Amino acid sequence: MEFKEAKNKFVQSWGALGSQWGINKTMAQIHALLMVSNQPVSMEDIMDELQISRGNASMNLRALIDWGIVYKAFKPGERREFFTAEKDLDELAVKISKERSKREIKPALKVLKEVSSIEISGAEDEKHFKEQTGKLYDFVLKADNVLDKITEYRENWLTKLVMKIMS
Amino acid sequence: MEFKEAKNKFVQSWGALGSQWGINKTMAQIHALLMVSNQPVSMEDIMDELQISRGNASMNLRALIDWGIVYKAFKPGERREFFTAEKDLDELAVKISKERSKREIKPALKVLKEVSSIEISGAEDEKHFKEQTGKLYDFVLKADNVLDKITEYRENWLTKLVMKIMS
DNA sequence: ATAAACTTTCATTTTTTTTTGAAAGTTTAA
DNA sequence: TTAAACTTTCAAAAAAAAATGAAAGTTTAT
C-alpha cells in the first residue's frame, strides 16, 4: 500500500466510524483529512480531495470549529482561509467528551431528574418506574462526573487512567 | 406530571438520545420501555405503546437481543413471547461497551494498523501521516483496553472507578 | 396431520438526513 | 468606492435510513 492509498483508506474509514458516533460522514472525513495533513488545508483542497460541494465543506468546517477541534489558520500572504485540526489526541478526546456531555448528557440528566421525581401512588409499576429512572439518573450523573474529572487531568489522562486501573 | 406522562417522556427522550449514539430511535425506545416495565412485555404491547408496526418491533427486538441487553421471557400458560431488558446498569454498560468495541473499535484498529504501517519515502507529509496514524493507533488501542479492564471488574466498576479517580 | 397463534422476512414506501449549488454576504486591496 | 476573491446560507434535490405490512415461516395443541 502506498501513501495516497493509505491516506484515502484512513479518511474513508474514519468517515464511516464517525457516522456510527453521531457525527456525520463528511464532518468526520474532513477531520480525518486535516488530522493527517502536515500543512493547513484550504477549503478548495478539501472539496477537491473529498469530492464534495462548497456548501457542504463550508457547513461541516464550521461545525468542526464549533466543536473546537478544527481551527482556522492563516498563511502569510494568502488571502483565503486554511484549516488545521487539533492534533493532540488527549486534547481532542477531552474536547469531544466535553461537547458531548454538554449536548447530550446534560439534557438527558434533566429529563431523568424530572421523570424520577414524580409523585406516585402505591402501584407497583409506578414504584418500579421511579426506582429505575432514579438509578439511571445516579448512574449517568456519576459517569458524567468521571468525564469532568478526566478533563481536569488534562495531560495524558488516558495513560494515567490506565495506570490506575491496572494497579 | 403523572405516571403516564413521565413514562412517555422518558421513552421519547431515551429514543432521541439513542439516535445520537448510533442506535436507532425505535431500538432505544423499545429498550427504554422495557427498562421501566415491571413485568415482561409482549410484542403486541410494544407495538401498541410505541405505535410501530409488527415488522419494526420484531426487527428491533431481535437487534436488542443480539446486543445482549434484552431477553426473551416466558409467562407460564402463555404461548406468545414476552421481553425484558437487562436492568442492572453496570451489566448494561459493560454489554454495550463490549458490543461497540467489537463492532466499531476493533475494525478501526485494524485499519489504523494497516495504514500506519506503510513504507514511506522521506517526504515530510508521508512522515507526518505515518506518525499521526501511529499515535492514533496507540491511543485507540489504549482506550479499548480500558474498556476490557473495566469489563473484568464486573460489579460496580463505575463506583470503583470514581473512587480511584477521586483519590 | 392440521389449523390456530404467533413471529420473521423483505420488497416497497415513508421519513430523515445530507448534499448541492447558486444567490447573497463579506472582506480585502487598490 | 468598487470589484475581485472568497465564504456562507438555504431552498431544493438526492441519498440514506427506517418503517410498513402482507406473505412466508414456525411452533404448539389437539
mmCIF file of all heavy atoms in Angstrom, chain C residues 1-18:
data_model
loop_
_atom_site.group_PDB
_atom_site.id
_atom_site.type_symbol
_atom_site.label_atom_id
_atom_site.label_comp_id
_atom_site.label_asym_id
_atom_site.label_seq_id
_atom_site.Cartn_x
_atom_site.Cartn_y
_atom_site.Cartn_z
ATOM 1 P P DA C 1 -48.358 -36.236 9.128
ATOM 2 O OP1 DA C 1 -48.341 -35.960 7.773
ATOM 3 O OP2 DA C 1 -47.541 -35.819 10.214
ATOM 4 O "O5'" DA C 1 -49.849 -36.663 9.581
ATOM 5 C "C5'" DA C 1 -50.826 -36.870 8.581
ATOM 6 C "C4'" DA C 1 -51.932 -35.854 8.767
ATOM 7 O "O4'" DA C 1 -52.031 -35.465 10.165
ATOM 8 C "C3'" DA C 1 -51.733 -34.556 7.993
ATOM 9 O "O3'" DA C 1 -53.045 -34.165 7.565
ATOM 10 C "C2'" DA C 1 -51.108 -33.600 9.012
ATOM 11 C "C1'" DA C 1 -51.750 -34.052 10.315
ATOM 12 N N9 DA C 1 -50.900 -33.932 11.529
ATOM 13 C C8 DA C 1 -49.579 -34.233 11.661
ATOM 14 N N7 DA C 1 -49.124 -34.054 12.876
ATOM 15 C C5 DA C 1 -50.230 -33.595 13.580
ATOM 16 C C6 DA C 1 -50.416 -33.221 14.931
ATOM 17 N N6 DA C 1 -49.443 -33.260 15.836
ATOM 18 N N1 DA C 1 -51.648 -32.811 15.298
ATOM 19 C C2 DA C 1 -52.627 -32.798 14.398
ATOM 20 N N3 DA C 1 -52.573 -33.134 13.113
ATOM 21 C C4 DA C 1 -51.332 -33.516 12.767
ATOM 22 P P DT C 2 -53.395 -32.940 6.707
ATOM 23 O OP1 DT C 2 -54.592 -33.224 5.912
ATOM 24 O OP2 DT C 2 -52.166 -32.441 6.072
ATOM 25 O "O5'" DT C 2 -53.799 -31.949 7.898
ATOM 26 C "C5'" DT C 2 -55.097 -32.041 8.519
ATOM 27 C "C4'" DT C 2 -55.281 -30.806 9.383
ATOM 28 O "O4'" DT C 2 -54.414 -30.872 10.547
ATOM 29 C "C3'" DT C 2 -54.929 -29.500 8.684
ATOM 30 O "O3'" DT C 2 -55.743 -28.460 9.182
ATOM 31 C "C2'" DT C 2 -53.506 -29.240 9.120
ATOM 32 C "C1'" DT C 2 -53.663 -29.676 10.582
ATOM 33 N N1 DT C 2 -52.397 -29.911 11.331
ATOM 34 C C2 DT C 2 -52.422 -29.738 12.701
ATOM 35 O O2 DT C 2 -53.417 -29.423 13.329
ATOM 36 N N3 DT C 2 -51.211 -29.951 13.305
ATOM 37 C C4 DT C 2 -50.015 -30.309 12.712
ATOM 38 O O4 DT C 2 -49.011 -30.477 13.379
ATOM 39 C C5 DT C 2 -50.069 -30.460 11.278
ATOM 40 C C7 DT C 2 -48.831 -30.844 10.518
ATOM 41 C C6 DT C 2 -51.223 -30.253 10.655
ATOM 42 P P DA C 3 -56.971 -27.914 8.369
ATOM 43 O OP1 DA C 3 -57.984 -28.982 8.399
ATOM 44 O OP2 DA C 3 -56.522 -27.323 7.093
ATOM 45 O "O5'" DA C 3 -57.440 -26.745 9.351
ATOM 46 C "C5'" DA C 3 -57.884 -27.054 10.673
ATOM 47 C "C4'" DA C 3 -57.248 -26.104 11.657
ATOM 48 O "O4'" DA C 3 -55.908 -26.538 11.987
ATOM 49 C "C3'" DA C 3 -57.103 -24.666 11.137
ATOM 50 O "O3'" DA C 3 -57.310 -23.816 12.237
ATOM 51 C "C2'" DA C 3 -55.631 -24.602 10.737
ATOM 52 C "C1'" DA C 3 -55.063 -25.392 11.903
ATOM 53 N N9 DA C 3 -53.684 -25.826 11.760
ATOM 54 C C8 DA C 3 -53.007 -26.161 10.611
ATOM 55 N N7 DA C 3 -51.774 -26.526 10.827
ATOM 56 C C5 DA C 3 -51.612 -26.415 12.200
ATOM 57 C C6 DA C 3 -50.536 -26.654 13.059
ATOM 58 N N6 DA C 3 -49.356 -27.060 12.626
ATOM 59 N N1 DA C 3 -50.735 -26.441 14.377
ATOM 60 C C2 DA C 3 -51.912 -26.025 14.798
ATOM 61 N N3 DA C 3 -53.012 -25.773 14.096
ATOM 62 C C4 DA C 3 -52.792 -25.994 12.790
ATOM 63 P P DA C 4 -58.401 -22.697 12.215
ATOM 64 O OP1 DA C 4 -59.721 -23.346 12.324
ATOM 65 O OP2 DA C 4 -58.081 -21.788 11.097
ATOM 66 O "O5'" DA C 4 -58.094 -21.957 13.599
ATOM 67 C "C5'" DA C 4 -57.983 -22.717 14.810
ATOM 68 C "C4'" DA C 4 -56.804 -22.218 15.594
ATOM 69 O "O4'" DA C 4 -55.565 -22.715 15.040
ATOM 70 C "C3'" DA C 4 -56.687 -20.692 15.648
ATOM 71 O "O3'" DA C 4 -56.625 -20.367 17.027
ATOM 72 C "C2'" DA C 4 -55.389 -20.376 14.891
ATOM 73 C "C1'" DA C 4 -54.595 -21.674 15.067
ATOM 74 N N9 DA C 4 -53.617 -22.005 14.032
ATOM 75 C C8 DA C 4 -53.809 -22.028 12.672
ATOM 76 N N7 DA C 4 -52.747 -22.413 11.997
ATOM 77 C C5 DA C 4 -51.797 -22.661 12.974
ATOM 78 C C6 DA C 4 -50.456 -23.094 12.908
ATOM 79 N N6 DA C 4 -49.831 -23.375 11.780
ATOM 80 N N1 DA C 4 -49.796 -23.228 14.073
ATOM 81 C C2 DA C 4 -50.419 -22.959 15.217
ATOM 82 N N3 DA C 4 -51.686 -22.549 15.405
ATOM 83 C C4 DA C 4 -52.320 -22.405 14.225
ATOM 84 P P DA C 5 -56.445 -18.891 17.544
ATOM 85 O OP1 DA C 5 -57.097 -18.801 18.858
ATOM 86 O OP2 DA C 5 -56.798 -17.978 16.437
ATOM 87 O "O5'" DA C 5 -54.866 -18.833 17.746
ATOM 88 C "C5'" DA C 5 -54.259 -19.546 18.814
ATOM 89 C "C4'" DA C 5 -52.827 -19.107 18.895
ATOM 90 O "O4'" DA C 5 -52.140 -19.568 17.715
ATOM 91 C "C3'" DA C 5 -52.648 -17.588 18.928
ATOM 92 O "O3'" DA C 5 -51.692 -17.270 19.923
ATOM 93 C "C2'" DA C 5 -52.167 -17.232 17.530
ATOM 94 C "C1'" DA C 5 -51.389 -18.500 17.164
ATOM 95 N N9 DA C 5 -51.259 -18.760 15.730
ATOM 96 C C8 DA C 5 -52.163 -18.516 14.735
ATOM 97 N N7 DA C 5 -51.750 -18.865 13.528
ATOM 98 C C5 DA C 5 -50.476 -19.373 13.759
ATOM 99 C C6 DA C 5 -49.500 -19.912 12.890
ATOM 100 N N6 DA C 5 -49.654 -20.037 11.582
ATOM 101 N N1 DA C 5 -48.337 -20.325 13.452
ATOM 102 C C2 DA C 5 -48.170 -20.206 14.775
ATOM 103 N N3 DA C 5 -49.027 -19.734 15.693
ATOM 104 C C4 DA C 5 -50.170 -19.319 15.103
ATOM 105 P P DC C 6 -51.629 -15.812 20.511
ATOM 106 O OP1 DC C 6 -51.454 -15.935 21.972
ATOM 107 O OP2 DC C 6 -52.737 -14.996 19.964
ATOM 108 O "O5'" DC C 6 -50.282 -15.300 19.866
ATOM 109 C "C5'" DC C 6 -49.116 -16.079 20.119
ATOM 110 C "C4'" DC C 6 -48.192 -16.109 18.932
ATOM 111 O "O4'" DC C 6 -48.795 -16.495 17.695
ATOM 112 C "C3'" DC C 6 -47.561 -14.763 18.558
ATOM 113 O "O3'" DC C 6 -46.378 -14.585 19.330
ATOM 114 C "C2'" DC C 6 -47.206 -14.950 17.092
ATOM 115 C "C1'" DC C 6 -47.766 -16.318 16.738
ATOM 116 N N1 DC C 6 -48.275 -16.368 15.350
ATOM 117 C C2 DC C 6 -47.441 -16.876 14.370
ATOM 118 O O2 DC C 6 -46.303 -17.282 14.683
ATOM 119 N N3 DC C 6 -47.876 -16.922 13.086
ATOM 120 C C4 DC C 6 -49.097 -16.476 12.768
ATOM 121 N N4 DC C 6 -49.474 -16.537 11.495
ATOM 122 C C5 DC C 6 -49.978 -15.961 13.757
ATOM 123 C C6 DC C 6 -49.529 -15.918 15.026
ATOM 124 P P DT C 7 -45.381 -13.368 18.986
ATOM 125 O OP1 DT C 7 -44.549 -13.212 20.190
ATOM 126 O OP2 DT C 7 -46.203 -12.245 18.498
ATOM 127 O "O5'" DT C 7 -44.471 -13.873 17.789
ATOM 128 C "C5'" DT C 7 -43.616 -14.995 17.983
ATOM 129 C "C4'" DT C 7 -42.686 -15.094 16.792
ATOM 130 O "O4'" DT C 7 -43.449 -15.304 15.588
ATOM 131 C "C3'" DT C 7 -41.839 -13.846 16.565
ATOM 132 O "O3'" DT C 7 -40.517 -14.295 16.387
ATOM 133 C "C2'" DT C 7 -42.430 -13.215 15.302
ATOM 134 C "C1'" DT C 7 -43.021 -14.414 14.573
ATOM 135 N N1 DT C 7 -44.217 -14.147 13.729
ATOM 136 C C2 DT C 7 -44.180 -14.501 12.390
ATOM 137 O O2 DT C 7 -43.206 -14.991 11.865
ATOM 138 N N3 DT C 7 -45.350 -14.252 11.701
ATOM 139 C C4 DT C 7 -46.504 -13.709 12.193
ATOM 140 O O4 DT C 7 -47.474 -13.540 11.472
ATOM 141 C C5 DT C 7 -46.484 -13.363 13.601
ATOM 142 C C7 DT C 7 -47.695 -12.757 14.249
ATOM 143 C C6 DT C 7 -45.367 -13.585 14.293
ATOM 144 P P DT C 8 -39.310 -13.313 16.041
ATOM 145 O OP1 DT C 8 -38.096 -13.884 16.624
ATOM 146 O OP2 DT C 8 -39.768 -11.938 16.379
ATOM 147 O "O5'" DT C 8 -39.180 -13.415 14.445
ATOM 148 C "C5'" DT C 8 -38.783 -14.662 13.881
ATOM 149 C "C4'" DT C 8 -38.727 -14.514 12.374
ATOM 150 O "O4'" DT C 8 -40.035 -14.157 11.885
ATOM 151 C "C3'" DT C 8 -37.777 -13.417 11.870
ATOM 152 O "O3'" DT C 8 -36.921 -14.071 10.948
ATOM 153 C "C2'" DT C 8 -38.684 -12.380 11.227
ATOM 154 C "C1'" DT C 8 -39.910 -13.200 10.849
ATOM 155 N N1 DT C 8 -41.220 -12.493 10.819
ATOM 156 C C2 DT C 8 -41.968 -12.540 9.657
ATOM 157 O O2 DT C 8 -41.597 -13.074 8.633
ATOM 158 N N3 DT C 8 -43.196 -11.899 9.739
ATOM 159 C C4 DT C 8 -43.734 -11.261 10.847
ATOM 160 O O4 DT C 8 -44.845 -10.739 10.797
ATOM 161 C C5 DT C 8 -42.897 -11.257 12.021
ATOM 162 C C7 DT C 8 -43.379 -10.591 13.265
ATOM 163 C C6 DT C 8 -41.692 -11.860 11.959
ATOM 164 P P DT C 9 -35.641 -13.331 10.314
ATOM 165 O OP1 DT C 9 -34.547 -14.304 10.316
ATOM 166 O OP2 DT C 9 -35.504 -12.006 10.962
ATOM 167 O "O5'" DT C 9 -36.094 -13.092 8.798
ATOM 168 C "C5'" DT C 9 -36.906 -14.047 8.160
ATOM 169 C "C4'" DT C 9 -37.438 -13.461 6.853
ATOM 170 O "O4'" DT C 9 -38.687 -12.767 7.101
ATOM 171 C "C3'" DT C 9 -36.528 -12.443 6.160
ATOM 172 O "O3'" DT C 9 -36.444 -12.844 4.804
ATOM 173 C "C2'" DT C 9 -37.245 -11.104 6.334
ATOM 174 C "C1'" DT C 9 -38.692 -11.541 6.406
ATOM 175 N N1 DT C 9 -39.637 -10.674 7.184
ATOM 176 C C2 DT C 9 -40.870 -10.395 6.636
ATOM 177 O O2 DT C 9 -41.221 -10.780 5.536
ATOM 178 N N3 DT C 9 -41.688 -9.629 7.433
ATOM 179 C C4 DT C 9 -41.402 -9.141 8.694
ATOM 180 O O4 DT C 9 -42.236 -8.478 9.292
ATOM 181 C C5 DT C 9 -40.101 -9.477 9.207
ATOM 182 C C7 DT C 9 -39.695 -8.998 10.560
ATOM 183 C C6 DT C 9 -39.280 -10.218 8.436
ATOM 184 P P DC C 10 -35.231 -12.394 3.856
ATOM 185 O OP1 DC C 10 -34.833 -13.583 3.063
ATOM 186 O OP2 DC C 10 -34.239 -11.643 4.666
ATOM 187 O "O5'" DC C 10 -35.961 -11.364 2.878
ATOM 188 C "C5'" DC C 10 -37.222 -11.659 2.282
ATOM 189 C "C4'" DC C 10 -37.818 -10.374 1.736
ATOM 190 O "O4'" DC C 10 -38.575 -9.698 2.777
ATOM 191 C "C3'" DC C 10 -36.767 -9.347 1.282
ATOM 192 O "O3'" DC C 10 -37.286 -8.694 0.130
ATOM 193 C "C2'" DC C 10 -36.691 -8.359 2.433
ATOM 194 C "C1'" DC C 10 -38.157 -8.349 2.832
ATOM 195 N N1 DC C 10 -38.455 -7.848 4.202
ATOM 196 C C2 DC C 10 -39.776 -7.458 4.504
ATOM 197 O O2 DC C 10 -40.630 -7.536 3.623
ATOM 198 N N3 DC C 10 -40.044 -7.009 5.743
ATOM 199 C C4 DC C 10 -39.076 -6.933 6.663
ATOM 200 N N4 DC C 10 -39.404 -6.482 7.870
ATOM 201 C C5 DC C 10 -37.735 -7.323 6.382
ATOM 202 C C6 DC C 10 -37.478 -7.777 5.144
ATOM 203 P P DA C 11 -36.398 -8.653 -1.221
ATOM 204 O OP1 DA C 11 -36.169 -10.026 -1.695
ATOM 205 O OP2 DA C 11 -35.241 -7.762 -0.964
ATOM 206 O "O5'" DA C 11 -37.396 -7.930 -2.239
ATOM 207 C "C5'" DA C 11 -38.666 -8.544 -2.532
ATOM 208 C "C4'" DA C 11 -39.728 -7.458 -2.618
ATOM 209 O "O4'" DA C 11 -40.002 -6.930 -1.301
ATOM 210 C "C3'" DA C 11 -39.332 -6.272 -3.486
ATOM 211 O "O3'" DA C 11 -40.495 -5.903 -4.232
ATOM 212 C "C2'" DA C 11 -38.880 -5.208 -2.475
ATOM 213 C "C1'" DA C 11 -39.777 -5.518 -1.286
ATOM 214 N N9 DA C 11 -39.187 -5.210 0.034
ATOM 215 C C8 DA C 11 -37.884 -5.359 0.428
ATOM 216 N N7 DA C 11 -37.665 -5.038 1.681
ATOM 217 C C5 DA C 11 -38.913 -4.638 2.148
ATOM 218 C C6 DA C 11 -39.362 -4.180 3.396
ATOM 219 N N6 DA C 11 -38.559 -4.042 4.460
ATOM 220 N N1 DA C 11 -40.669 -3.871 3.523
ATOM 221 C C2 DA C 11 -41.469 -4.023 2.461
ATOM 222 N N3 DA C 11 -41.175 -4.448 1.237
ATOM 223 C C4 DA C 11 -39.858 -4.743 1.147
ATOM 224 P P DT C 12 -40.617 -4.588 -5.080
ATOM 225 O OP1 DT C 12 -41.602 -4.828 -6.155
ATOM 226 O OP2 DT C 12 -39.238 -4.096 -5.368
ATOM 227 O "O5'" DT C 12 -41.259 -3.563 -4.016
ATOM 228 C "C5'" DT C 12 -42.652 -3.607 -3.729
ATOM 229 C "C4'" DT C 12 -42.963 -2.476 -2.763
ATOM 230 O "O4'" DT C 12 -42.103 -2.557 -1.619
ATOM 231 C "C3'" DT C 12 -42.761 -1.072 -3.332
ATOM 232 O "O3'" DT C 12 -44.030 -0.420 -3.265
ATOM 233 C "C2'" DT C 12 -41.705 -0.450 -2.446
ATOM 234 C "C1'" DT C 12 -41.854 -1.244 -1.161
ATOM 235 N N1 DT C 12 -40.663 -1.280 -0.271
ATOM 236 C C2 DT C 12 -40.807 -0.863 1.035
ATOM 237 O O2 DT C 12 -41.852 -0.449 1.497
ATOM 238 N N3 DT C 12 -39.654 -0.939 1.787
ATOM 239 C C4 DT C 12 -38.408 -1.392 1.381
ATOM 240 O O4 DT C 12 -37.483 -1.412 2.148
ATOM 241 C C5 DT C 12 -38.339 -1.810 -0.007
ATOM 242 C C7 DT C 12 -37.042 -2.308 -0.568
ATOM 243 C C6 DT C 12 -39.441 -1.741 -0.757
ATOM 244 P P DT C 13 -44.187 1.121 -3.670
ATOM 245 O OP1 DT C 13 -45.544 1.320 -4.225
ATOM 246 O OP2 DT C 13 -42.952 1.521 -4.407
ATOM 247 O "O5'" DT C 13 -44.150 1.832 -2.225
ATOM 248 C "C5'" DT C 13 -45.104 1.436 -1.224
ATOM 249 C "C4'" DT C 13 -44.886 2.305 -0.007
ATOM 250 O "O4'" DT C 13 -43.609 2.011 0.592
ATOM 251 C "C3'" DT C 13 -44.916 3.798 -0.301
ATOM 252 O "O3'" DT C 13 -45.791 4.350 0.672
ATOM 253 C "C2'" DT C 13 -43.450 4.222 -0.169
ATOM 254 C "C1'" DT C 13 -42.921 3.229 0.862
ATOM 255 N N1 DT C 13 -41.475 2.894 0.851
ATOM 256 C C2 DT C 13 -40.794 2.885 2.043
ATOM 257 O O2 DT C 13 -41.300 3.170 3.113
ATOM 258 N N3 DT C 13 -39.466 2.516 1.947
ATOM 259 C C4 DT C 13 -38.781 2.171 0.801
ATOM 260 O O4 DT C 13 -37.611 1.851 0.861
ATOM 261 C C5 DT C 13 -39.560 2.204 -0.414
ATOM 262 C C7 DT C 13 -38.902 1.862 -1.712
ATOM 263 C C6 DT C 13 -40.843 2.559 -0.340
ATOM 264 P P DT C 14 -46.080 5.914 0.788
ATOM 265 O OP1 DT C 14 -47.478 6.085 1.240
ATOM 266 O OP2 DT C 14 -45.554 6.589 -0.437
ATOM 267 O "O5'" DT C 14 -45.118 6.294 1.998
ATOM 268 C "C5'" DT C 14 -45.282 5.662 3.270
ATOM 269 C "C4'" DT C 14 -44.258 6.245 4.217
ATOM 270 O "O4'" DT C 14 -42.943 5.797 3.851
ATOM 271 C "C3'" DT C 14 -44.233 7.773 4.191
ATOM 272 O "O3'" DT C 14 -44.521 8.158 5.517
ATOM 273 C "C2'" DT C 14 -42.825 8.117 3.685
ATOM 274 C "C1'" DT C 14 -42.033 6.867 4.021
ATOM 275 N N1 DT C 14 -40.868 6.526 3.145
ATOM 276 C C2 DT C 14 -39.655 6.227 3.736
ATOM 277 O O2 DT C 14 -39.473 6.260 4.943
ATOM 278 N N3 DT C 14 -38.654 5.881 2.861
ATOM 279 C C4 DT C 14 -38.743 5.804 1.479
ATOM 280 O O4 DT C 14 -37.781 5.466 0.803
ATOM 281 C C5 DT C 14 -40.046 6.130 0.925
ATOM 282 C C7 DT C 14 -40.242 6.077 -0.556
ATOM 283 C C6 DT C 14 -41.029 6.472 1.774
ATOM 284 P P DT C 15 -44.436 9.661 6.053
ATOM 285 O OP1 DT C 15 -45.341 9.817 7.209
ATOM 286 O OP2 DT C 15 -44.541 10.560 4.856
ATOM 287 O "O5'" DT C 15 -42.935 9.713 6.592
ATOM 288 C "C5'" DT C 15 -42.501 8.737 7.537
ATOM 289 C "C4'" DT C 15 -41.059 9.051 7.913
ATOM 290 O "O4'" DT C 15 -40.173 8.684 6.844
ATOM 291 C "C3'" DT C 15 -40.826 10.536 8.191
ATOM 292 O "O3'" DT C 15 -40.235 10.562 9.470
ATOM 293 C "C2'" DT C 15 -39.921 10.992 7.045
ATOM 294 C "C1'" DT C 15 -39.203 9.698 6.665
ATOM 295 N N1 DT C 15 -38.733 9.557 5.258
ATOM 296 C C2 DT C 15 -37.452 9.073 5.026
ATOM 297 O O2 DT C 15 -36.677 8.784 5.918
ATOM 298 N N3 DT C 15 -37.116 8.915 3.701
ATOM 299 C C4 DT C 15 -37.913 9.196 2.608
ATOM 300 O O4 DT C 15 -37.504 9.005 1.468
ATOM 301 C C5 DT C 15 -39.244 9.710 2.919
ATOM 302 C C7 DT C 15 -40.173 10.046 1.801
ATOM 303 C C6 DT C 15 -39.572 9.861 4.208
ATOM 304 P P DT C 16 -39.711 11.928 10.154
ATOM 305 O OP1 DT C 16 -39.846 11.818 11.620
ATOM 306 O OP2 DT C 16 -40.293 13.080 9.413
ATOM 307 O "O5'" DT C 16 -38.154 11.820 9.812
ATOM 308 C "C5'" DT C 16 -37.437 10.624 10.133
ATOM 309 C "C4'" DT C 16 -35.986 10.819 9.742
ATOM 310 O "O4'" DT C 16 -35.841 10.706 8.305
ATOM 311 C "C3'" DT C 16 -35.430 12.189 10.125
ATOM 312 O "O3'" DT C 16 -34.252 11.912 10.853
ATOM 313 C "C2'" DT C 16 -35.228 12.899 8.783
ATOM 314 C "C1'" DT C 16 -34.993 11.729 7.829
ATOM 315 N N1 DT C 16 -35.367 11.924 6.394
ATOM 316 C C2 DT C 16 -34.492 11.470 5.408
ATOM 317 O O2 DT C 16 -33.420 10.952 5.666
ATOM 318 N N3 DT C 16 -34.936 11.636 4.121
ATOM 319 C C4 DT C 16 -36.133 12.197 3.721
ATOM 320 O O4 DT C 16 -36.423 12.275 2.531
ATOM 321 C C5 DT C 16 -36.995 12.660 4.800
ATOM 322 C C7 DT C 16 -38.311 13.287 4.459
ATOM 323 C C6 DT C 16 -36.570 12.493 6.061
ATOM 324 P P DT C 17 -33.237 13.057 11.357
ATOM 325 O OP1 DT C 17 -32.627 12.601 12.616
ATOM 326 O OP2 DT C 17 -33.927 14.380 11.259
ATOM 327 O "O5'" DT C 17 -32.117 12.981 10.219
ATOM 328 C "C5'" DT C 17 -31.502 11.737 9.907
ATOM 329 C "C4'" DT C 17 -30.506 11.975 8.787
ATOM 330 O "O4'" DT C 17 -31.191 12.211 7.542
ATOM 331 C "C3'" DT C 17 -29.601 13.185 9.023
ATOM 332 O "O3'" DT C 17 -28.288 12.692 8.890
ATOM 333 C "C2'" DT C 17 -30.032 14.184 7.941
ATOM 334 C "C1'" DT C 17 -30.568 13.274 6.847
ATOM 335 N N1 DT C 17 -31.625 13.846 5.937
ATOM 336 C C2 DT C 17 -31.506 13.644 4.563
ATOM 337 O O2 DT C 17 -30.577 13.053 4.054
ATOM 338 N N3 DT C 17 -32.538 14.160 3.814
ATOM 339 C C4 DT C 17 -33.642 14.836 4.281
ATOM 340 O O4 DT C 17 -34.495 15.230 3.508
ATOM 341 C C5 DT C 17 -33.692 15.014 5.724
ATOM 342 C C7 DT C 17 -34.854 15.740 6.324
ATOM 343 C C6 DT C 17 -32.705 14.522 6.466
ATOM 344 P P DT C 18 -26.990 13.583 8.994
ATOM 345 O OP1 DT C 18 -25.895 12.761 9.531
ATOM 346 O OP2 DT C 18 -27.360 14.877 9.633
ATOM 347 O "O5'" DT C 18 -26.683 13.866 7.447
ATOM 348 C "C5'" DT C 18 -26.476 12.770 6.575
ATOM 349 C "C4'" DT C 18 -26.301 13.292 5.173
ATOM 350 O "O4'" DT C 18 -27.528 13.869 4.697
ATOM 351 C "C3'" DT C 18 -25.238 14.370 5.036
ATOM 352 O "O3'" DT C 18 -24.332 13.866 4.070
ATOM 353 C "C2'" DT C 18 -26.021 15.620 4.606
ATOM 354 C "C1'" DT C 18 -27.228 15.004 3.903
ATOM 355 N N1 DT C 18 -28.489 15.803 3.839
ATOM 356 C C2 DT C 18 -29.123 15.959 2.605
ATOM 357 O O2 DT C 18 -28.692 15.498 1.571
ATOM 358 N N3 DT C 18 -30.294 16.679 2.643
ATOM 359 C C4 DT C 18 -30.882 17.245 3.750
ATOM 360 O O4 DT C 18 -31.936 17.865 3.645
ATOM 361 C C5 DT C 18 -30.167 17.044 5.000
ATOM 362 C C7 DT C 18 -30.734 17.609 6.261
ATOM 363 C C6 DT C 18 -29.022 16.340 4.981
#
